[in-house]
Amino acid sequence: MASSAQPPAAAGGVGPDGGSLAGGGETFADRSLSQGLSVLVGLGLCVTMLGLGCAVELGQLGQQLRRPVGLLLALLGQFVAMPLLAFLLALIFALDEVAAVAVLLCGCCPGGNLSNLMSVLVDGDMNLSIIMTASSTLLALFLMPLCLWIYSRHWINTAVVQLLPLGAVSLTLGSTLLPIGLGVLIRYRHPRAADLLVKISLWSLLVTLVVLFILTGTMLGPDLLAQIPASVYAIAVLMPLAGYALGYGLATVFKMPPHCRRTVSLETGCQNVQLCTAILKLTFSPELIGSMYMFPLLYALFQSAEAGLFVLAYKMYGRDSYKQDALGEEEDTDISYKKLKEEEVADTSYGTVTTEEHSSIQMEPTQTAL
């Protein structure tokens, strides 16, 4: 393993793959560019968290707390399955300490807002999706630093792990509670404004990621992308795909209906890459993290593409069966209702029952006006 490797700062500008960071770390250290990216990342994260809070309704939150299936699934998916998956991938691909920390950080992040949008496109359970995203974000305040501390033990003797700013990670997570709380308040008092802010936050998510990718890819040059090892690209492809599969399997174990399985699948594989980017940008020095700043952006690219393929496959092959199942349920309900009405009509339209003195029962036909 790379436990004896030195971080970029201590290796005289050596990148995660052993190459020079002359075109990456030095440009990242540029003060004006670094501050501009920090402001963009911070604003994007605040808008995203505000939109997440606007999507939460207090009534639904109370119901989930009384029957906390969504909370349990968020806990198992985001802070058991995904961190373990990130750790195993880092070991399998023999990543050095800088790349491993970037992968672990992404794997320990809570769910992202992209899953809410994708759940709508696959006819998922939106209430479950929102509750899982919100609860995993709140749980991350305590569990994300804990997961990072546990899984970084393998690289504990390296400088980058010894300098891992768990306090700064917690502070960044804590700062997200304010826009989330504000969003919940707006939803409670101004539902229409909250609906608008949810839409704005989803567009902000997409625009921010595109802008960040263009800025880091264009302004820092293609040399930066070339410095990222092929193994990191492979993990960026495999990790969200494996997360979707783990989420679907987890929902199957809980014997959830198909539309809930699709929801849990997307919730597990979609990470809050904006939060991951913010933590990498705001808590690590540019010289230390180097080109690994790009990993959450690569993850966002591939998680979106794979989720898009998931949606496309559902639209082509799964939507018809979903409609048939829903239609079948409606038809069964209509048939039962019709039979009940026919029985009621038959009982009342045949005639009236009268009782005479000698305890005889006689049917008198009812005259129907034409």
Side-chain angles (χ1 to χ4, degrees):
M1 296 299 171
S3 59
S4 62
Q6 295 297 320
V14 176
D17 58 346
S20 172
L21 277 177
E26 292 179 1
T27 311
F28 266 111
D30 180 78
R31 186 173 183 83
S32 58
L33 177 60
S34 179
Q35 289 180 346
L37 289 175
S38 298
V39 171
L40 178 62
V41 168
L43 288 176
L45 181 62
C46 287
V47 174
T48 300
M49 294 298 100
L50 178 64
L52 175 60
C54 287
V56 177
E57 294 185 5
L58 294 178
Q60 297 174 357
L61 187 60
Q63 293 176 2
Q64 290 295 328
L65 291 176
R66 288 191 293 270
R67 188 173 177 270
V69 178
L71 181 65
L72 179 60
L73 289 171
L75 173 65
L76 295 176
Q78 298 296 341
F79 302 109
V80 176
M82 291 304 291
L84 180 59
L85 173 64
F87 175 72
L88 293 177
L89 288 174
L91 289 182
I92 292 171
F93 286 91
L95 298 183
D96 62 52
E97 67 277 6
V98 177
V101 166
V103 171
L104 284 175
L105 188 61
C106 189
C108 295
C109 276
N113 287 30
L114 178 66
S115 59
N116 306 142
L117 176 62
M118 293 299 177
S119 294
V120 174
L121 298 178
V122 297
D123 298 317
D125 189 331
M126 272 305 296
N127 290 335
L128 177 62
S129 178
I130 292 171
I131 289 300
M132 286 187 66
T133 303
S135 58
S136 66
T137 302
L138 297 178
L139 289 171
L141 185 63
F142 308 101
L143 295 182
M144 186 176 176
L146 177 62
C147 290
L148 285 172
W149 181 83
I150 291 173
Y151 288 108
S152 66
R153 298 298 90 192
H154 182 78
W155 299 273
I156 189 60
N157 294 325
T158 61
V160 69
V161 173
Q162 291 175 354
L163 296 174
L164 185 62
L166 295 178
V169 171
S170 299
L171 183 62
T172 305
L173 287 167
S175 65
T176 64
L177 296 180
L178 181 61
I180 290 176
L182 179 60
V184 173
L185 180 62
I186 293 175
R187 164 62 63 183
Y188 179 72
R189 295 193 172 181
H190 307 285
R192 291 186 178 179
D195 292 335
L196 178 61
L197 287 173
V198 169
K199 296 178 181 178
I200 292 175
S201 70
L202 291 175
W203 281 106
S204 170
L205 170 65
L206 299 176
V207 171
T208 302
L209 292 176
V210 170
V211 171
L212 282 175
F213 201 87
I214 292 175
L215 283 177
T216 52
T218 302
M219 297 179 67
L220 303 181
D223 291 340
L224 180 69
L225 295 176
Q227 289 170 8
I228 300 176
S231 57
V232 174
Y233 282 100
I235 291 177
V237 174
L238 294 174
M239 193 168 157
L241 191 61
Y244 294 142
L246 286 172
Y248 197 90
L250 183 64
T252 303
V253 170
F254 277 77
K255 299 181 179 179
M256 304 190 77
H259 71 290
C260 290
R261 294 179 189 179
R262 296 192 294 271
T263 303
V264 176
S265 173
L266 290 168
E267 281 294 327
T268 305
C270 289
Q271 300 296 88
N272 192 335
V273 290
Q274 283 185 301
L275 178 61
C276 183
T277 304
I279 292 175
L280 285 174
K281 188 70 187 66
L282 302 176
T283 62
F284 287 96
S285 65
E287 299 86 356
L288 184 65
I289 202 64
S291 60
M292 284 301 102
Y293 171 77
M294 291 292 291
F295 179 76
L297 302 179
L298 292 175
Y299 189 95
L301 176 65
F302 289 113
Q303 82 170 4
S304 302
E306 292 166 5
L309 292 176
F310 186 10
V311 171
L312 181 61
Y314 172 74
K315 297 291 186 183
M316 293 177 63
Y317 303 107
R319 192 177 181 87
D320 292 338
S321 60
Y322 174 80
K323 286 183 176 180
Q324 289 176 0
D325 292 341
L327 183 60
E329 292 177 0
E330 293 178 359
E331 288 178 350
D332 291 342
T333 304
D334 292 341
I335 291 173
S336 301
Y337 178 74
K338 289 177 181 178
K339 287 183 177 179
L340 179 62
K341 293 298 293 182
E342 288 174 357
E343 291 175 359
E344 290 178 355
V345 171
D347 290 340
T348 57
S349 64
Y350 182 81
T352 56
V353 181
T354 58
T355 305
E356 296 184 353
E357 292 182 357
H358 300 291
S359 301
S360 61
I361 299 176
Q362 197 173 21
M363 303 299 298
E364 296 180 359
T366 303
Q367 299 293 329
T368 304
L370 295 179

